[in-house]
Amino acid sequence: MQVNLQTANINNNSYRPAQQPAFTGAPRIHSKLFDPVKKQYDNLAEGIARNYYEKFYRSKFAKKFIDKTKNVKNMTTHMSAIGATLISGMYTVRTLQNDKLDPEKRKTLALNDVMTWAISTAGSYFLDNKLGDWCNKVTTRFVANYVATKPEAKNIELLGDWDPKKIYKIIEDAPQIAYDKITEMKSKLSPEEFSKWLGKARINEDDLTDISDQLLYKKYLKQKKALSKNPEKLKEWIKNAGTSEEILTKISKSVTKNVLDLNLDFLRDKRLTTLIDGIGVLKSLFVFGMVYRYIVPVLVMKPANKIGAYLHQKNAEKEQAANKAA
């Protein structure tokens, strides 16, 4: 059974925005950021891809899990938050049930736990989201460097010998290049030869429909911009194109928009899939680890102690007032 790389990315591949981005500039190909650990990281990623990812994605469990979670965005982030919630909840309950602590001290510590969890969770999601653009740029530079040093990852059979320095351009042009190449080879090769060529190009004939959908969506975006002041004509164009707004919205979620999509849709390099996924996972784990373990606990401790002391004083005043009244 062939591994379907389009479903391989558990984290976020099936949740794509409806707009086609503008591709400008060129990434810096050779970066010193990864040089010190590049060889070790490559070897580790290759081992994981060969011994774990491939076997995992072929399993029945993986197929069911991917089907159930394919529309969940940022799975690593959510799983980190769930794990932190369970741990924080356990500490809070144990603190409140600890008879060896003074009742007011228990409340203060429990309040500290709850505030740390709430602020850490909100802060982690916020910071993880804010670092998304930065992480995408780092990933783009990494992929450009990767294909520059490993030309076999370019999928030259399908996309031609494209320049890694122009990776933004190939992201934008890949659907059209692939569509033209597939239709050309299909017309001039026998069915048997065409089938062999598809294997070399790491693509399936069924993918031609998805690619043509992407091209239709690009045409729709141009028409939408041109007819922004005439929605009725836009609706007429959609009808004449044999589609609908609902279908176009569905297509928008699978448009090739970044290096992750480029790899999953056209390059289909399993090792590169592992590396790209690893960068995103590492970013999320680093953010959650730093926020939960170091940043927020230090910031929350003093406010939580002050709030606890304030509540303790208020309770003491109420008890004194009640005693005097008695």
Side-chain angles (χ1 to χ4, degrees):
M1 183 180 70
Q2 185 179 3
V3 179
N4 186 352
L5 286 177
Q6 285 186 313
T7 58
N9 179 32
I10 298 177
N11 290 330
N12 58 9
N13 181 47
S14 59
Y15 233 93
R16 298 180 177 174
Q19 70 273 15
Q20 183 75 356
F23 299 97
T24 58
R28 186 154 50 93
I29 295 297
H30 295 288
S31 171
K32 295 181 180 179
L33 179 62
F34 295 98
D35 287 349
V37 293
K38 185 177 184 300
K39 185 176 180 180
Q40 291 81 357
Y41 183 54
D42 284 353
N43 291 337
L44 176 63
E46 185 175 12
I48 293 174
R50 183 177 60 254
N51 299 317
Y52 170 70
Y53 264 26
E54 185 171 357
K55 293 180 181 179
F56 176 75
Y57 289 138
R58 290 177 184 273
S59 67
K60 293 181 179 179
F61 170 79
K63 186 177 184 303
K64 290 182 179 179
F65 183 78
I66 291 170
D67 287 341
K68 294 293 184 181
T69 61
K70 61 184 178 182
N71 291 323
V72 178
K73 186 180 180 181
N74 298 331
M75 178 64 74
T76 301
T77 304
H78 299 322
M79 293 301 292
S80 297
I82 291 172
T85 300
L86 292 173
I87 293 173
S88 297
M90 179 188 69
Y91 275 120
T92 302
V93 171
R94 286 190 174 183
T95 298
L96 292 172
Q97 293 177 345
N98 191 345
D99 296 332
K100 296 180 180 179
L101 294 175
D102 177 81
E104 295 302 328
K105 185 67 173 178
R106 289 203 301 263
K107 293 178 182 179
T108 300
L109 292 175
L111 179 64
N112 191 312
D113 290 338
V114 172
M115 286 182 63
T116 299
W117 166 80
I119 297 175
S120 295
T121 302
S124 295
Y125 272 102
F126 176 80
L127 188 58
D128 189 67
N129 182 61
K130 286 297 180 182
L131 288 177
D133 289 340
W134 173 84
C135 187
N136 288 337
K137 291 177 181 178
V138 171
T139 304
T140 301
R141 286 170 54 188
F142 175 79
V143 172
N145 183 66
Y146 179 90
V147 297
T149 57
K150 302 183 186 306
E152 64 274 13
K154 293 181 180 179
N155 198 355
I156 296 174
E157 192 73 34
L158 180 66
L159 301 179
D161 192 10
W162 52 276
D163 187 355
K165 292 180 180 179
K166 299 179 180 179
I167 194 166
Y168 287 107
K169 181 171 175 54
I170 198 65
I171 291 171
E172 185 177 20
D173 295 345
Q176 187 67 63
I177 295 173
Y179 183 86
D180 293 342
K181 189 66 175 181
I182 294 171
T183 51
E184 175 195 347
M185 300 304 287
K186 187 176 182 180
S187 65
K188 73 178 187 180
L189 296 178
S190 67
E192 184 178 344
E193 290 174 329
F194 180 62
S195 179
K196 291 181 179 179
W197 178 84
L198 287 173
K200 292 180 181 178
R202 309 172 201 165
I203 205 160
N204 302 311
E205 189 172 0
D206 294 341
D207 294 324
L208 193 60
T209 301
D210 297 331
I211 296 171
S212 62
D213 285 344
Q214 286 203 48
L215 298 179
L216 173 64
Y217 184 72
K218 285 190 173 185
K219 292 178 181 178
Y220 161 71
L221 289 179
K222 291 180 180 178
Q223 291 296 321
K224 185 178 181 180
K225 184 177 181 180
L227 301 174
S228 58
K229 297 181 180 179
N230 199 332
E232 292 302 320
K233 280 194 174 182
L234 180 62
K235 289 181 180 179
E236 183 179 347
W237 182 90
I238 293 173
K239 184 178 180 181
N240 293 335
T243 185
S244 66
E245 292 185 6
E246 290 77 13
I247 293 175
L248 290 168
T249 300
K250 185 178 180 180
I251 294 173
S252 70
K253 297 178 181 179
S254 60
V255 171
T256 303
K257 65 183 184 298
N258 53 38
V259 289
L260 172 64
D261 302 333
L262 176 68
N263 181 53
L264 292 172
D265 296 342
F266 301 106
L267 305 184
R268 300 192 173 179
D269 186 296
K270 288 184 287 186
R271 185 183 181 197
L272 187 54
T273 300
T274 306
L275 294 169
I276 294 173
D277 285 349
I279 293 173
V281 170
L282 180 62
K283 183 257 297 182
S284 294
L285 291 178
F286 176 78
V287 167
F288 270 74
M290 288 297 295
V291 171
Y292 273 96
R293 296 296 182 186
Y294 300 103
I295 299 175
V296 173
V298 173
L299 297 176
V300 166
M301 186 177 297
K302 285 187 177 181
N305 288 338
K306 289 182 179 180
I307 293 174
Y310 173 78
L311 294 175
H312 177 69
Q313 182 180 350
K314 287 294 181 181
N315 288 333
E317 290 175 356
K318 286 181 181 179
E319 289 181 3
Q320 289 179 1
N323 292 334
K324 288 181 179 179

